[in-house]
Amino acid sequence: MKRNAFRAALPHTLPICVGFLFLGMSYGFLMRSKGFPFYYPLLMSLFIFAGSMEFVTVNLLLSAFQPVYAFLLTLMVNARHIFYGISMLEKYRGTGWIKLYLIYGMCDESFSINCSASPPPGVDKGWFMFFVTLLNHAYWVAGATLGALLGYVIRFDTTGIEFVMTALFVVIFLNQWEQGGDHKAALTGVACAGLCLALFGSQSFILPAMLLMVICLSFGKDRKEAAG
Amino acid sequence: MTAAQRVITILLVVLGTMTTRFLPFLIFPEGKTPPAFILRLGKVLPYAAIGLLVVYCLKDAAAPPDYGLAEGIAIAAVVLIHRWKHSTLLSIGTGTALYMLLVQIFFS
């Protein structure tokens, strides 16, 4: 049963494999270039397993100790997972103990496969989704660790490598924009953050920006509601 | 930051991440429907959060020596390459390489 599920899951995850190895490696390499030993990216990719937040955590670890801010920033950056969870309430139901791991490993990519792909007939749904999640998790940890290890061997001027995070978010922004995502919400995020950056400065703008964002979005009506 | 503070920070990031992943399953066990405004917030927050993150990455860009010019050029390149080829890896790879070149050679 598990063998079939693994075989069915593997091809769905291959594109993710390429992406995760590349991004994971740049994350591990970035951590190493900032002076962290390889077990930092290894453990962080294993336990946090939320790519964009791991990049942000590099910055957190390099600045002053602000535990509340770190927690709130994580909630905000990963708020989309709440929506993923709401979408998967039905699908994850009745999968037994596997469900705990499915929720734990619900990154963007595992979510997108598990919510759209269905296993072929005769393959257990729970195990199929388990292997999708597990494989993605493994690619990410492997990439991050490999990148950090490469950082020991390859030596070159890494000034500016942190731009990989900016580029990643710009690309996600573009993808969401082109796939018909909520443009108003996207611009609200940019506008609230930009406004608060100008008002509060780069050290303390995130929390007011988040607050302003949630307020603006709570009062805004979405298109369907406005039409209906 | 001390090693202990690093570990605490990482654990809080893990806790925050797990909160966002487990919350819906804890609040709405077996077929309970979430209220409309939560669903709506869940729908729009992902887009707003990425916009916020782009600004977060650029928070210290407007500083000397180039006052954000390197960031501006590299982001323009990412946008153009992404609209042209639609390959996430190519866009990120080229953009980062270009930025590194700019800050190491032209704006150093």
Side-chain angles (χ1 to χ4, degrees):
Chain A
M1 180 167 84
K2 290 178 204 169
R3 225 185 144 86
N4 283 344
F6 180 82
R7 275 197 197 146
L10 185 64
H12 287 280
T13 65
L14 287 180
I16 312 292
C17 180
V18 180
F20 268 18
L21 283 178
F22 176 88
L23 264 182
M25 277 172 74
S26 48
Y27 163 68
F29 197 86
L30 172 68
M31 287 284 300
R32 183 65 209 127
S33 74
K34 298 291 177 195
F36 293 94
F38 79 95
Y39 50 83
Y40 267 88
L42 192 159
L43 294 174
M44 284 166 68
S45 56
L46 185 64
F47 289 113
I48 304 176
F49 191 39
S52 38
M53 194 55 217
E54 284 166 46
F55 278 101
V56 174
T57 309
V58 182
N59 280 14
L60 290 177
L61 293 177
L62 290 172
S63 37
F65 182 55
Q66 294 168 288
V68 178
Y69 169 74
F71 181 71
L72 291 177
L73 184 63
T74 311
L75 288 186
M76 208 65 197
V77 171
N78 288 331
R80 62 189 188 284
H81 295 143
I82 297 175
F83 171 56
Y84 296 168
I86 292 169
S87 322
M88 297 309 269
L89 286 171
E90 293 298 308
K91 210 153 183 190
Y92 283 173
R93 190 197 283 189
T95 48
W97 65 268
I98 296 175
K99 187 172 171 181
L100 284 178
Y101 178 68
L102 290 176
I103 300 171
Y104 178 82
M106 191 175 54
C107 65
D108 307 60
E109 288 74 9
S110 299
F111 164 75
S112 64
I113 297 178
N114 282 337
C115 81
S116 55
S118 359
V123 173
D124 182 76
K125 183 187 76 172
W127 283 105
F128 172 80
M129 296 194 292
F130 174 83
F131 282 117
V132 166
T133 310
L134 184 71
L135 283 165
N136 286 345
H137 202 165
Y139 303 146
W140 180 250
V141 176
T145 310
L146 212 63
L149 290 176
L150 274 178
Y152 287 97
V153 187
I154 303 173
R155 301 251 169 223
F156 60 93
D157 188 352
T158 53
T159 310
I161 195 170
E162 63 278 358
F163 190 80
V164 71
M165 177 163 93
T166 314
L168 170 70
F169 292 137
V170 170
V171 165
I172 297 176
F173 189 91
L174 288 173
N175 283 340
Q176 288 185 338
W177 190 274
E178 290 174 354
Q179 283 156 13
D182 194 322
H183 294 180
K184 220 199 283 175
L187 292 177
T188 304
V190 174
C192 292
L195 182 71
C196 290
L197 177 61
L199 288 176
F200 298 96
S202 69
Q203 291 308 306
S204 47
F205 81 101
I206 283 278
L207 291 183
M210 290 170 178
L211 206 67
L212 187 63
M213 232 170 74
V214 171
I215 292 171
C216 289
L217 294 173
S218 302
F219 285 105
K221 280 188 173 176
D222 69 11
R223 274 165 296 179
K224 269 180 205 151
E225 227 181 31
Chain B
M1 215 184 258
T2 64
Q5 289 176 332
R6 282 182 172 176
V7 171
I8 293 171
T9 303
I10 293 171
L11 286 178
L12 284 169
V13 172
V14 173
L15 184 71
T17 304
M18 289 314 136
T19 305
T20 60
R21 288 188 185 162
F22 279 90
L23 198 64
F25 296 91
L26 296 176
I27 302 179
F28 310 109
E30 305 297 300
K32 232 175 109 186
T33 317
F37 89 96
I38 290 282
L39 285 174
R40 195 182 64 214
L41 214 53
K43 240 181 262 176
V44 292
L45 263 183
Y47 304 108
I50 294 297
L52 175 99
L53 282 175
V54 172
V55 177
Y56 173 81
C57 289
L58 298 172
K59 66 185 164 63
D60 298 311
D66 61 297
Y67 301 97
L69 190 60
E71 280 82 1
I73 295 172
I75 287 178
V78 170
V79 173
L80 287 176
I81 294 167
H82 199 66
R83 300 214 65 145
W84 174 43
K85 285 286 185 187
H86 280 278
S87 156
T88 299
L89 302 186
L90 182 76
S91 312
I92 294 176
T94 322
T96 306
L98 176 65
Y99 180 80
M100 290 173 72
L101 205 72
L102 287 173
V103 293
Q104 286 179 23
I105 296 173
F106 298 102
F107 301 117
S108 58

